Amino acid sequence: MAEPQTSILRFENVTVRYDEVAAIEDVSFESFEGESRVILGAAGSGKTVLLKTAMGLIKPDSGKVFAFGKNLAAMRERDLFEIRSKIGMLFQEGALFDSMNIEENVAYPLLNQPSIKCPPDQVLPRVEEALKFVELGQTLEKFPSELSGGMRRRAAIARAVVTAPPLILYDSPTAGLDPITAHTIIALLIKERDISHTTTLVVTQRYQDGNLIANFSYNSERGELEPARHGARREFLTVFMVLREGRLVFEGDQDTLESSKDDYISKFVKPRV
Amino acid sequence: MRGPTFLLNFLKEPVLAVQEFFVLTGNALRNIFRKPHYSDDIVLQMDSIGVGSLQIVFMTGFFSGAVMALQMSRALAQYGQVGKTGSLVSLTLVRELGPVLTAIMVAGRNASGMASELGSMKVTEQIDAMRALGTDPVQKLVTPRLIATSVMLPLLVVIADFVGLFGGWVISSLFLDLTSRQYWTSAWQTLEWNDVLQGLLKPLMFAVVISMIGCFYGLRTTGGTQGVGRSTTQAVVTSTVLIFILDLLITKIFVFQSS
């Protein structure tokens, strides 16, 4: 008998409205430990709102959001801090603090998350480790404005993973980046997922990002990605979701996604690598 | 039925904005007594608001005092009371011009700065990132600005008053043939505790308005860089108008008490 899966994130009929217009409407899904979820959708389809709702940054107008078994919609802002310490988030443009250098940015969650008691002498080593992970070990003293777009995104990933959260949300990690840098970012994301066994939600408009996430794994011995579709990562499922005008119009695996005859859904699907 | 519905819809947004403003102000004030305290940010803001505004406060104070001396002496000359110039300059400066002009200068410089800084953070999702990383943005960004402005503005007003009185003395000595003793004695003796209290209470209230309006418009910025510009303008205009309204109210209370 298969072991029961641990629920990490659950949406129950969640609706978020802005000025009577639904940003997401009646969205329900459940994400389990170790799972990767790729959320596709056109601009304005509600992908970012969905991630922010999962983080408790936006309160739903109706429905319930459970993260680690707790209903975020019913919690006060101060009580949400503990849940948020278990969730890492990469914002669309990185959202690094302009007034702080990279070291201070990456150290921020270690020093400010109330439930993370990081000893002061451990802060710098952990920051260095996180920056080494994203291959930005030499940028501690630099300010975000001194870095390129891709480097800023990598520094933001370092900030998201420095506390080793079990759930990480990535909001359009490759948006606006050239193909090589975009590949590097997705490779980092897969590396983090496979080394730390984190549950991962990735919002993207690029099908190839989802394709890499679903079919590649990180080989820590060789330090590179390798195809894993029929190999090591099959025990962890990658689920695809497609949002259209706030509604969840598809949820399933890659094969089902690719065989969909829906006009909107098939626009996101490209030939597999 | 269309009329009342239209009116309600029309009023909904401004009423909601006022409510949000008071909720934000309440939270910022409550956070003064709640941990964590970001003392580094308070000191940084004090430096930016206080030390950074010294130059404009010096200039405004000096020239307003000088102009007051010139104008008042002309009026007083009709009654042969040019010797009372110091008295009028000090009363006008301490009660009205010092607090109001300094507050307007600080509003122009700092309410706009707060609105643009927080607005930029809002549109680049740094405020959301702050919340996601375990920090209450009101505690980290608004309360330090409120405390710093409330401490620094009264001090700036005191400086502006003295520099203004100095400006009046320069004019009195150079153009009105008043002795220094005449000018300073008249300026000093005319002041009562009530005037000093009024002159210090006003900047304290103005400081709350300047910092809260700046932060309020910054935190509700939407619409990218254009939105930041809009918030900045709204912050300066609203805080300036509110300074005048509040000035009238406080003055009325003090006048009523005196009578």
Side-chain angles (χ1 to χ4, degrees), chain A residues 194-236:
Chain A
D194 292 349
I195 289 176
S196 308
H197 302 293
T198 48
T199 309
T200 307
L201 262 74
V202 185
V203 152
T204 182
Q205 289 176 322
R206 290 162 28 109
Y207 180 66
Q208 57 265 47
D209 294 347
N211 192 32
L212 281 171
I213 291 163
N215 299 302
F216 282 77
S217 66
Y218 181 75
N219 185 325
S220 50
E221 286 169 14
R222 289 164 59 191
E224 60 184 28
L225 295 186
E226 60 183 19
R229 184 163 174 75
H230 302 293
R233 265 204 59 78
R234 291 314 293 164
E235 74 270 26
F236 294 114

Side-chain angles (χ1 to χ4, degrees), chain A residues 81 100 104 107-116, chain B residues 36 38 130 133-135 140:
Chain A
F81 288 150
M100 299 178 190
E104 290 163 336
Y108 195 91
L110 294 171
L111 297 169
N112 289 281
Q113 293 276 20
S115 54
I116 293 174
Chain B
Y38 297 98
M130 204 167 259
L133 296 171
T135 308
K140 170 88 175 159

Side-chain angles (χ1 to χ4, degrees), chain B residues 23-62:
Chain B
V23 169
L24 179 70
T25 308
N27 285 340
L29 288 169
R30 193 178 55 182
N31 283 343
I32 295 172
F33 308 102
R34 288 171 81 165
K35 284 186 178 176
H37 300 294
Y38 297 98
S39 44
D40 288 357
D41 293 287
I42 297 173
V43 173
L44 205 70
Q45 289 303 322
M46 279 181 169
D47 179 52
S48 164
I49 296 163
V51 182
S53 304
L54 268 178
Q55 203 178 354
I56 53 167
V57 166
F58 265 101
M59 300 286 276
T60 327
F62 180 84

Side-chain angles (χ1 to χ4, degrees), chain B residues 179-236:
Chain B
T179 63
S180 297
R181 189 185 177 84
Q182 243 182 324
Y183 176 83
W184 287 112
T185 309
S186 149
W188 179 255
Q189 283 182 345
T190 196
L191 286 178
E192 293 174 6
W193 282 112
N194 183 291
D195 303 316
V196 179
L197 185 66
Q198 193 179 152
L200 289 177
L201 182 73
K202 279 181 182 177
L204 190 65
M205 303 305 283
F206 296 161
V208 175
V209 167
I210 292 167
S211 54
M212 291 315 302
I213 290 287
C215 293
F216 173 70
Y217 278 109
L219 288 176
R220 73 197 309 254
T221 304
T222 51
T225 45
Q226 207 179 13
V228 175
R230 205 167 37 239
S231 293
T232 308
T233 312
Q234 284 173 326
V236 175

Side-chain angles (χ1 to χ4, degrees), chain A residues 48 52 55-57 77-78 81 84 87 91-93 95-98 100 108-109 112-114 159 171, chain B residues 12 31 34-36 38 117 120-121 124-137 139-140:
Chain A
T48 299
K52 286 186 178 176
M55 188 78 177
L57 297 173
E77 179 75 11
R78 279 183 174 256
F81 288 150
R84 287 182 189 149
I87 308 174
F91 288 86
Q92 207 159 9
E93 299 291 334
L96 293 169
F97 303 124
D98 300 326
M100 299 178 190
Y108 195 91
N112 289 281
Q113 293 276 20
R159 189 177 67 178
D171 189 2
Chain B
K12 202 162 79 176
N31 283 343
R34 288 171 81 165
K35 284 186 178 176
Y38 297 98
E117 191 181 349
S120 302
M121 289 182 78
T124 55
E125 294 185 309
Q126 289 177 53
I127 302 283
D128 278 338
M130 204 167 259
R131 290 173 63 204
L133 296 171
T135 308
D136 174 5
Q139 183 105 34
K140 170 88 175 159

Side-chain angles (χ1 to χ4, degrees), chain B residues 101-203:
Chain B
L101 286 180
T102 310
I104 288 170
M105 286 296 137
V106 171
R109 189 178 174 275
N110 296 105
S112 59
M114 289 173 203
S116 62
E117 191 181 349
L118 270 57
S120 302
M121 289 182 78
K122 179 80 191 311
V123 298
T124 55
E125 294 185 309
Q126 289 177 53
I127 302 283
D128 278 338
M130 204 167 259
R131 290 173 63 204
L133 296 171
T135 308
D136 174 5
V138 178
Q139 183 105 34
K140 170 88 175 159
L141 300 171
V142 181
T143 304
R145 283 166 174 77
L146 172 68
I147 295 172
T149 318
S150 303
V151 172
M152 296 318 283
L153 190 58
L155 294 177
L156 287 172
V157 167
V158 171
I159 292 169
D161 289 346
F162 275 109
V163 175
L165 283 169
F166 177 76
W169 169 75
V170 171
I171 294 295
S172 303
S173 306
L174 291 180
F175 303 110
L176 307 178
D177 295 328
L178 289 180
T179 63
S180 297
R181 189 185 177 84
Q182 243 182 324
Y183 176 83
W184 287 112
T185 309
S186 149
W188 179 255
Q189 283 182 345
T190 196
L191 286 178
E192 293 174 6
W193 282 112
N194 183 291
D195 303 316
V196 179
L197 185 66
Q198 193 179 152
L200 289 177
L201 182 73
K202 279 181 182 177

